[in-house]
Amino acid sequence: MKSSKSACLLCRHIVATNGASRIPQWQTQVSRFSTTVPSRTHGQSVAGTTQTGDESLPPEVTVDKSGSNRVRRVVHDERRRPSNIKWSQSKPRKPPAKDSARVDALFQEIVREQVGSKDVATQTTSKSANMDLALVKAIGELEQMIKRGEPAASAFSFVKTEIYPMLREPDITIPQVFYRVASRLMKEVVAAKKEAMRSPELPTVAEIFRVYADIGEIKPKEWATLVGELVKGIVELDSIGQQELAADDEELITRDAMLADLVDCWKVLTLPKVIPITPDNEVTEGFWFPRLDMHSLKKFSDKGNFPAALSSMFPQYRQKELGGPVAVLAIATYALLLDPQRSDPQVRRSATRFVSKVAYLITFVNYQDAAVQKEVKDNFPELEDYVMTQWPIIKKQLKERIESMTTARTPPRESLHSTSPRRIDAALLGNRLSLAYLTTNRIEVDKLWQQFVGPIEDIPAEKATELRRHPDLFDCFINIRMALNQPDHAILALNTLRKVGLKPTLKTWNTMLDGCKKSRNTAALKSVWAKLSGSGMKLDMEIWTTRVSGLIESGDVQGGIHALEEMVSLWNKSSKDENTTAVKPTIEPVNAALVGLIRQGRGPAAEALLAWASQQGIEPNVFTYNTLLRRFVRDGRSEDVRRLFAIMQDTGVRADEATFTIVLDAAFGKIAKDDVEEQTKTVTEVLDKMKAAGLEANLHTYGKLIYNLLQSGDGAKEAVKTVLARLWSQGHELSPHIYTMLVEHYFARDPPDLDAVEILLERRRLLDYEDMDKTFYDRVVKGYSLVGQPAKALEIYYRLANAGVSVILSTQMELLRALLKQGLTEDAKALVANTKRMFMLSHRTADNIENAAFWGHPFWKIAVQNEVFE
């Protein structure tokens, strides 16, 4: 049984047993080669550049001329989409032509030697020079293989196995001739692939375009041509009857492998043109889709222009570079992935993000049948029958999702465009109210209440009508007023709710009780409960749960236990009465009490509670076991853990995602931090067993895994890559928490890995449209400040400030110190002045407590002492 296997796995991990891992022969990582990228100083960026004009190198290659001659590939980013973060557009440094010329000259000597013209006498003695020599020899051999007419597959294999490892070496100088030879080879590989798409000897289409990306020659139209052949091959393969298949067909690439190749082709196309990529970086895999720009999509939707809308998924290319061919292939790929006769579930899961993006664009743009048929006929006539047969099915499947998807992703028109003062932006008001509570800003709550209801003495009928549309906001105000220990204000909100024609619901009373719980106000909680129980209203289990947990969290443990006993007693007395207001006891309030008892360290009381619940016929669920399991694991009670899993197995309670997360903590606690192999095995086995148990890890589980792995430092790199690959295969994007953990890890490396930071920034930038994660960018500013890169930190600080995002003072203090240390006095003055200005323009100045905390921060003392405060 699945539950049995899960429980056994968890037990094995608690006692630190090992699992098997399997490393695939061919890596499917979507990345491009690079030598170590030079760290950038002020005035440099990962942003787009212009051609250097240096004739010794291709226009897409630049070399760092400071220190070691390291190479990066820079391609023009001609169509950038708007973002709240606008990275600098400064030019990269020019390459030292003499180094490339030296290596190119050496290449010519080697080539002559290989064809018997003359010997080459080298005088290089350094490791870097020896590596350059080995590289040019390998490039010369590659050129000779091409001239001799050796199979394209052999030459490509030589590039991947012999040349690529050298290209990844630090301080290597890549001669210009490599790009010429590689380009020539790739044309032959493409021609061979077109002739034998299913040949196992040839590289996949995705592998081909990875190399094109590496040499800076990936072009969407050429991509579409070869990918179109791949799609046609998949469609034609399924149209051939089994009796017509050749005898050696089993030796050819399968349909599922071709579909997986197709998905990887789209991953390659999503890679940004401008990005420094270090070898095997953790975050270079998966799809690099940006957040969709709803304002631009509206324009395309009005015209039914699906190809233009699709281009918004690839901001690194101009719209005309993609056009109809890529749009047709997107629809054909979508159809294949959702075709039950053709698609493999595992491949479909790996393309979850692609499928969801294309589905949304199809529904949003309202692509007309005639337009679809014309695009297919004009670009891939061989696919017309298949695509137009699947198109009605696609539309039918998406029809039910149009309203839900549009509503979920598009804010109401009035919240975006309306200037009418009578309209209430519930989402904005709710967010501001939550922030005010988190910062204990009572003055801001007062202002928001005034903005919401206006003068309460005489509420106009029109205003009352508008207020009746937002009962949830009334509940929110009641909850926060009680949480801030302002019961009089909460009662005022409750009375106003009644005044405008609404009635308090169970949810209203529950939010009031929850507010009492948050403020630890036992007296208020008991008072509210007394009024509620005396009202004759039929209560539900949720409100009983809030009462029990509120009493225990507030310190009245005995009162919480008595509340549970009262709930059971009322049910036992009136269970046969159809008009009873009692509710049948369930495990939820017991779990609430259990959590409170364990949090307070009352282990015996918690176990006695569960024994009592069992006597009442209340069965524990997986949350109950997880609560106990977390405690047992933390206390190192291995025998109790085994006993608990045995009980779970006997009672048929299956482990869930939270159970696995708890177990992962335990497993990693027993593995040495430098035992990378064991960590990778543990990750692989736990994720595989979760899947076997019918569970998929959620972002919280992945975050836990990555956190545990990063504690081991750089040694866990491969294990982290394994986790991220599984995360992306499930269609997830990195959570803000994972982004933050990774950037902190890169800054903490010795030396700091600034190249990896820039990759992470580039990936995160794609999600910054209309939304930025404050914590992530705060860590970036702090990290750059601490590693002596204040100019870069200051650049990001101002981008955040321009977007209205503040940086916490403790981080700004590190930035100020870094600026002063490097003698950047004027920049320090500007930082201090801008910080002062942003605070004075905020709503926080009216709060005396917050005002005092702000001006009392050591940041201002440093500013005054160094005379940069004006």
Side-chain angles (χ1 to χ4, degrees):
M1 289 171 54
K2 288 184 178 179
S3 59
S4 171
K5 291 180 180 178
S6 301
C8 291
L9 167 71
L10 301 174
C11 290
R12 289 202 303 274
H13 275 291
I14 292 298
V15 294
T17 57
N18 303 336
S21 66
R22 181 171 57 88
I23 301 176
Q25 180 179 358
W26 285 91
Q27 299 294 326
T28 59
Q29 173 182 337
V30 180
S31 63
R32 295 168 285 179
F33 76 78
S34 167
T35 55
T36 303
V37 183
S39 302
R40 269 159 282 280
T41 56
H42 186 46
Q44 293 180 290
S45 167
V46 297
T49 181
T50 59
Q51 187 168 325
T52 65
D54 190 327
E55 298 299 328
S56 66
L57 288 175
E60 290 131 348
V61 179
T62 64
V63 185
D64 179 11
K65 66 181 179 181
S66 62
S68 60
N69 302 315
R70 297 175 291 183
V71 178
R72 62 171 290 201
R73 185 176 68 80
V74 180
V75 182
H76 301 296
D77 189 14
E78 296 169 325
R79 185 170 74 87
R80 304 293 289 240
R81 60 199 301 279
S83 170
N84 286 334
I85 299 290
K86 297 182 178 63
W87 308 109
S88 67
Q89 302 291 318
S90 53
K91 299 179 182 179
R93 289 168 288 186
K94 285 188 176 182
K98 61 181 182 181
D99 288 331
S100 180
R102 173 183 64 80
V103 180
D104 278 322
L106 184 58
F107 170 80
Q108 298 299 333
E109 299 264 359
I110 296 297
V111 170
R112 285 193 290 270
E113 178 192 64
Q114 289 177 339
V115 296
S117 296
K118 61 180 290 186
D119 293 334
V120 177
T122 61
Q123 297 179 354
T124 53
T125 56
S126 68
K127 179 181 178 181
S128 175
N130 289 334
M131 184 58 68
D132 289 343
L133 176 60
L135 176 60
V136 295
K137 282 185 175 181
I139 297 171
E141 174 59 26
L142 174 63
E143 186 171 56
Q144 293 305 309
M145 292 176 72
I146 297 172
K147 289 181 178 180
R148 291 194 298 266
E150 295 193 24
S154 300
F156 185 88
S157 177
F158 182 82
V159 170
K160 298 294 287 186
T161 59
E162 300 296 329
I163 295 181
Y164 260 51
M166 288 186 279
L167 295 177
R168 292 191 175 105
E169 288 293 326
D171 304 326
I172 194 72
T173 301
I174 303 178
Q176 179 185 7
V177 71
F178 168 74
Y179 298 92
R180 174 177 61 78
V181 175
S183 180
R184 179 180 172 185
L185 166 65
M186 296 314 298
K187 290 178 182 178
E188 295 190 8
V189 173
V190 168
K193 189 67 176 177
K194 287 181 180 178
E195 292 296 323
M197 186 62 68
R198 297 183 63 199
S199 169
E201 304 299 324
L202 291 168
T204 65
V205 177
E207 285 287 341
I208 291 171
F209 283 103
R210 287 185 189 117
V211 174
Y212 268 123
D214 293 338
I215 63 177
E217 292 189 10
I218 186 169
K219 296 178 177 63
K221 290 188 177 179
E222 294 179 0
W223 178 93
T225 300
L226 189 57
V227 172
E229 293 296 325
L230 175 61
V231 173
K232 283 187 282 186
I234 297 171
V235 173
E236 290 170 359
L237 179 63
D238 282 287
S239 66
I240 300 175
Q242 291 296 324
Q243 67 276 11
E244 301 179 40
L245 294 177
D248 59 348
D249 186 74
E250 292 183 359
E251 298 179 3
L252 300 178
I253 295 176
T254 65
R255 178 192 60 198
D256 290 346
M258 294 171 75
L259 274 171
D261 185 17
L262 179 58
V263 171
D264 280 345
C265 287
W266 286 102
K267 291 178 181 179
V268 174
L269 193 64
T270 64
L271 287 171
K273 283 186 178 181
V274 181
I275 182 169
I277 295 189
T278 51
D280 303 321
N281 184 271
E282 299 92 341
V283 299
T284 55
E285 301 182 18
F287 290 103
W288 282 59
F289 287 132
R291 189 182 302 276
L292 293 177
D293 178 358
M294 298 306 304
H295 298 287
S296 297
L297 286 181
K298 181 66 169 62
K299 176 178 65 177
F300 302 138
S301 175
D302 293 340
K303 298 179 180 179
N305 193 342
F306 178 79
L310 183 76
S311 70
S312 64
M313 292 168 54
F314 306 93
Q316 65 272 39
Y317 300 108
R318 286 181 289 186
Q319 183 179 323
K320 65 180 182 181
E321 293 183 271
L322 301 165
V326 175
V328 171
L329 291 174
I331 292 175
T333 303
Y334 180 89
L336 285 169
L337 288 170
L338 270 68
D339 187 342
Q341 302 301 319
R342 289 173 166 83
S343 180
D344 174 70
Q346 185 174 351
V347 176
R348 185 165 58 246
R349 279 196 299 270
S350 72
T352 300
R353 294 190 68 209
F354 172 84
V355 169
S356 64
K357 292 281 187 183
V358 173
Y360 179 70
L361 290 178
I362 292 174
T363 57
F364 190 88
V365 173
N366 189 25
Y367 205 12
Q368 297 297 315
D369 297 0
V372 177
Q373 188 163 14
K374 184 178 184 304
E375 289 288 4
V376 178
K377 198 169 186 177
D378 290 348
N379 294 286
F380 299 100
E382 302 92 338
L383 297 177
E384 183 178 1
D385 287 344
Y386 177 72
V387 171
M388 296 315 297
T389 299
Q390 295 297 315
W391 182 245
I393 300 173
I394 292 172
K395 290 200 303 180
K396 183 179 179 181
Q397 291 173 339
L398 293 175
K399 185 176 180 180
E400 298 177 355
R401 300 173 56 188
I402 294 177
E403 287 188 10
S404 61
M405 291 180 70
T406 304
T407 303
R409 294 175 183 263
T410 309
R413 289 181 179 271
E414 57 266 28
S415 69
L416 287 173
H417 309 294
S418 175
T419 57
S420 171
R422 290 187 291 271
R423 291 292 181 183
I424 296 172
D425 189 335
L428 178 61
L429 189 60
N431 289 337
R432 291 180 61 187
L433 190 56
S434 297
L435 181 61
Y437 166 67
L438 291 174
T439 56
T440 323
N441 192 336
R442 294 177 175 83
I443 293 177
E444 177 69 1
V445 176
D446 292 341
K447 290 180 179 179
L448 293 173
W449 171 253
Q450 197 66 25
Q451 179 183 332
F452 177 49
V453 300
I456 62 173
E457 293 79 12
D458 185 19
I459 301 177
E462 187 178 1
K463 179 68 174 179
T465 300
E466 176 66 17
L467 289 172
R468 283 196 295 273
R469 297 174 182 170
H470 303 287
D472 287 347
L473 279 178
F474 277 105
D475 292 346
C476 191
F477 273 106
I478 291 170
N479 176 264
I480 287 177
R481 290 298 195 180
M482 292 302 296
L484 294 175
N485 239 333
Q486 295 179 309
D488 292 342
H489 289 77
I491 293 172
L492 175 64
L494 183 65
N495 291 336
T496 307
L497 176 148
R498 292 189 174 109
K499 187 173 183 178
V500 300
L502 293 172
K503 292 183 178 180
T505 63
L506 272 180
K507 181 181 177 182
T508 305
W509 291 110
N510 197 30
T511 58
M512 182 174 276
L513 285 172
D514 183 68
C516 298
K517 169 185 170 181
K518 290 175 179 175
S519 63
R520 304 292 192 268
N521 192 334
T522 308
L525 191 149
K526 291 180 177 179
S527 176
V528 172
W529 183 262
K531 293 179 181 179
L532 183 59
S533 59
S535 68
M537 184 183 297
K538 184 175 177 62
L539 307 181
D540 61 11
M541 192 52 56
E542 185 177 355
I543 205 164
W544 273 99
T545 301
T546 303
R547 180 197 179 194
V548 170
S549 64
L551 288 168
I552 292 180
E553 294 287 347
S554 301
D556 188 0
V557 175
Q558 200 61 39
I561 301 300
H562 284 160
L564 281 173
E565 294 172 342
E566 179 187 348
M567 177 185 66
V568 173
S569 176
L570 288 173
W571 175 253
N572 290 336
K573 289 178 181 178
S574 56
S575 58
K576 297 180 181 180
D577 183 359
E578 294 182 358
N579 299 317
T580 182
T581 59
V583 61
K584 183 178 179 179
T586 64
I587 193 62
E588 282 74 19
V590 176
N591 285 340
L594 181 67
V595 170
L597 292 171
I598 288 181
R599 187 175 295 149
Q600 296 178 25
R602 298 171 178 256
E607 295 187 15
L609 171 67
L610 291 180
W612 172 83
S614 178
Q615 293 171 3
Q616 308 305 317
I618 302 174
E619 297 295 331
N621 59 11
V622 68
F623 182 89
T624 315
Y625 288 114
N626 286 345
T627 303
L628 292 172
L629 178 63
R630 189 175 291 107
R631 177 73 182 190
F632 292 162
V633 167
R634 187 181 303 120
D635 293 346
R637 295 163 59 177
S638 299
E639 288 301 321
D640 287 331
V641 170
R642 293 189 186 93
R643 178 173 56 85
L644 200 61
F645 277 119
I647 295 173
M648 288 178 67
Q649 182 175 343
D650 292 342
T651 57
V653 177
R654 293 183 58 186
D656 63 5
E657 291 86 350
T659 315
F660 280 95
T661 303
I662 296 167
V663 169
L664 284 169
D665 282 338
F668 277 102
K670 295 179 178 294
I671 300 174
K673 288 188 175 182
D674 57 351
D675 194 344
V676 180
E677 182 179 357
E678 183 61 26
Q679 291 174 355
T680 305
K681 286 181 178 179
T682 300
V683 168
T684 302
E685 183 177 344
V686 171
L687 291 177
D688 286 345
K689 293 303 182 182
M690 283 185 69
K691 185 175 180 179
L695 299 170
E696 289 294 348
N698 54 30
L699 282 175
H700 179 68
T701 305
Y702 284 122
K704 274 282 188 181
L705 277 168
I706 293 171
Y707 172 80
N708 280 312
L709 291 170
L710 292 180
Q711 304 310 301
S712 305
D714 291 340
K717 187 174 183 179
E718 290 304 315
V720 170
K721 286 177 63 178
T722 299
V723 175
L724 293 180
R726 292 291 286 265
L727 180 153
W728 281 314
S729 72
Q730 298 305 317
H732 296 301
E733 178 48 69
L734 303 185
S735 66
H737 180 53
I738 294 175
Y739 269 110
T740 303
M741 286 192 295
L742 287 173
V743 81
E744 288 180 328
H745 171 67
Y746 295 148
F747 276 123
R749 283 177 173 170
D750 187 16
D753 193 345
L754 302 185
D755 302 324
V757 172
E758 288 199 21
I759 295 171
L760 205 62
L761 282 171
E762 182 68 16
R763 186 175 185 105
R764 176 63 208 179
R765 184 192 66 80
L766 297 173
L767 305 175
D768 279 339
Y769 185 73
E770 294 182 345
D771 176 38
M772 285 179 290
D773 182 62
K774 181 177 178 179
T775 303
F776 170 74
Y777 282 109
D778 183 87
R779 298 298 190 275
V780 174
V781 172
K782 184 176 183 179
Y784 275 124
S785 301
L786 292 175
V787 301
Q789 297 256 350
K792 184 68 176 178
L794 193 63
E795 176 192 352
I796 297 173
Y797 164 82
Y798 279 121
R799 302 307 180 194
L800 294 170
N802 291 339
V805 179
S806 61
V807 177
I808 62 175
L809 280 179
S810 59
T811 295
Q812 291 193 56
M813 184 171 68
E814 299 297 345
L815 175 54
L816 179 60
R817 284 172 171 164
L819 290 169
L820 293 170
K821 185 176 181 180
Q822 294 195 8
L824 301 173
T825 307
E826 293 304 315
D827 285 335
K829 286 182 179 180
L831 168 68
V832 172
N834 191 67
T835 301
K836 175 184 175 183
R837 180 186 64 82
M838 289 185 69
F839 181 76
M840 298 304 293
L841 292 175
S842 71
H843 299 289
R844 299 153 59 196
T845 54
D847 190 317
N848 292 333
I849 297 176
E850 193 162 350
N851 202 46
F854 181 80
W855 294 110
H857 196 278
F859 172 86
W860 301 107
K861 182 178 180 180
I862 296 173
V864 171
Q865 288 177 342
N866 290 275
E867 300 180 348
V868 292
F869 178 77
E870 298 178 351

